[in-house]
Amino acid sequence: ALPEKKMAFKGLVTNNNVNKLMLTPLVHYPLLGGSALITFEKAEVAQRIIEAKEHMVELSCGEELEELDQCRVRVQAAPVDILLPSALEIRLTQSSRSIILSDLPSLDIPEETLLDKLEIFFSKTKNGGGEVESRELLDNSGQVVMTFAEDGVAGLLIERGCIQVPLGKQTYELKISPCVSGEVSNLKLQPSRCPRTVLLSGIPDVLSEEPMRDILEIHFQKPSRGGGEVDSLGYVPAGRHGVAVFTEDAG
C-alpha cells in the first residue's frame, strides 16, 4: 500500500503527435543510525567494495580518542536496492469548471496582485467569464488554474483558445487550455540496484559526525583498499536517522 502523494506529470508531443509521459524518479531512502551511503564516480569501485562485504577502517588518533593512539572499526558494505516504477496507468478527467492560463508575462508585481487582476478580469461576463471560485499559481510552471463557480463557463473559454487580458499598462494574449487531473489507477514497481552507491552499516559512535565522515571518505577513496574517487558521502550517527534522496542521475 502506497501513501497518497501529489505528482505533476509533464507531457511531451513528438513529431508524430504521439503523447508521451516522462516520469522522473525521486526516491526517498531511509537511513538508520550508524550507517552511511557512499557514491563512487565509477560503478566498478562500488562493486569491489560490496564484494568485500566487510572493511576495517582505521580511526586516526585525536582528542576524541584520548587513551588510544589508533583504533579500527569494522563496517559492513551492502548494495542499495530501491523500487522504481515499471508500469503506470493513469485515469484522466477533464474538469468542467476549471481552465489553465499560460503564456503569462513576467511582471514585477507580487503573486497575489497578479491573481487578483486575473480574477477581476475573468469574473466579468463581458469577458466570457463568471464568478471565480478559486485561483492557483502552479509552482515552477508560470501557469494559473482558474476555477469557476458554475459549469459551462470554462468550456466556452476553452473553445476560444486564447484571450487578450490587460495587465498593468499593457495587454497580453494568454493561452487557455483545459484542466485535466489524473489518478493513478495501476502502478507496478520493480527493484533496481544503484550501480555506484554502497550502504555502509555497523558504524560505532566513537567520533563526532564530521570527523567520522572525513575518515570514511579518506578510507574508501584509496585504491590500495579497493576504493576510488568518491562522488558523495552521507553519514548518520548512531541514535539518529536520516533520509537520502535518489534522483534519476544519482548512483
Side-chain angles (χ1 to χ4, degrees):
L2 296 176
E4 182 175 337
K5 182 176 180 63
K6 290 185 177 180
M7 293 183 286
F9 296 95
K10 298 180 180 180
L12 174 65
V13 179
T14 66
N15 294 332
N16 296 324
N17 283 331
V18 177
N19 289 326
K20 290 187 176 181
L21 183 67
M22 296 182 298
L23 184 63
T24 302
L26 188 66
V27 179
H28 290 72
Y29 186 89
L31 276 177
L32 300 178
S35 64
L37 282 179
I38 181 169
T39 300
F40 297 95
E41 291 187 358
K42 296 182 178 180
E44 54 265 30
V45 177
Q47 186 60 34
R48 286 201 303 268
I49 297 299
I50 292 171
E51 289 176 354
K53 294 184 180 180
E54 195 171 83
H55 299 266
M56 298 294 296
V57 179
E58 294 183 357
L59 304 181
S60 302
C61 61
E63 295 180 358
E64 299 183 55
L65 302 173
E66 296 176 353
E67 299 180 358
L68 299 176
D69 293 331
Q70 190 178 57
C71 70
R72 296 178 177 180
V73 295
R74 181 181 288 107
V75 300
Q76 286 73 43
V80 177
D81 293 320
I82 57 178
L83 292 175
L84 293 178
S86 60
L88 177 65
E89 294 180 7
I90 303 175
R91 186 182 297 111
L92 300 178
T93 305
Q94 181 174 330
S95 172
S96 61
R97 296 190 292 118
S98 299
I99 61 173
I100 293 181
L101 300 172
S102 53
D103 294 342
L104 293 168
S106 298
L107 301 176
D108 190 19
I109 59 175
E111 176 183 317
E112 284 300 314
T113 302
L114 173 62
L115 292 175
D116 287 342
K117 291 182 180 296
L118 291 173
E119 180 174 346
I120 292 171
F121 179 86
F122 284 99
S123 295
K124 298 178 179 179
T125 55
K126 68 177 183 180
N127 296 328
E131 181 183 347
V132 175
E133 185 178 274
S134 65
R135 72 276 172 92
E136 178 187 4
L137 181 64
L138 300 179
D139 294 337
N140 303 320
S141 70
Q143 298 178 329
V144 169
V145 175
M146 190 78 62
T147 301
F148 298 95
E150 298 180 359
D151 291 334
V153 178
L156 294 175
L157 288 170
I158 291 170
E159 289 180 3
R160 296 175 64 170
C162 58
I163 192 169
Q164 298 286 334
V165 179
L167 296 171
K169 298 181 180 180
Q170 298 186 46
T171 299
Y172 301 89
E173 183 175 86
L174 305 186
K175 182 181 178 182
I176 304 175
S177 305
C179 183
V180 179
S181 60
E183 179 183 350
V184 176
S185 57
N186 185 27
L187 175 62
K188 294 181 180 179
L189 302 172
Q190 67 178 10
S192 178
R193 179 158 295 180
C194 299
R196 298 188 295 118
T197 301
V198 178
L199 173 64
L200 303 175
S201 59
I203 304 171
D205 188 19
V206 293
L207 288 177
S208 57
E209 184 174 350
E210 187 173 353
M212 179 62 80
R213 185 170 56 243
D214 291 342
I215 285 175
L216 289 172
E217 184 167 350
I218 290 172
H219 176 91
F220 285 101
Q221 72 180 2
K222 293 183 177 181
S224 59
R225 292 167 177 166
E229 290 294 327
V230 175
D231 191 23
S232 63
L233 187 148
Y235 165 59
V236 180
R240 294 168 56 182
H241 65 274
V243 176
V245 179
F246 288 88
T247 61
E248 189 176 24
D249 296 328

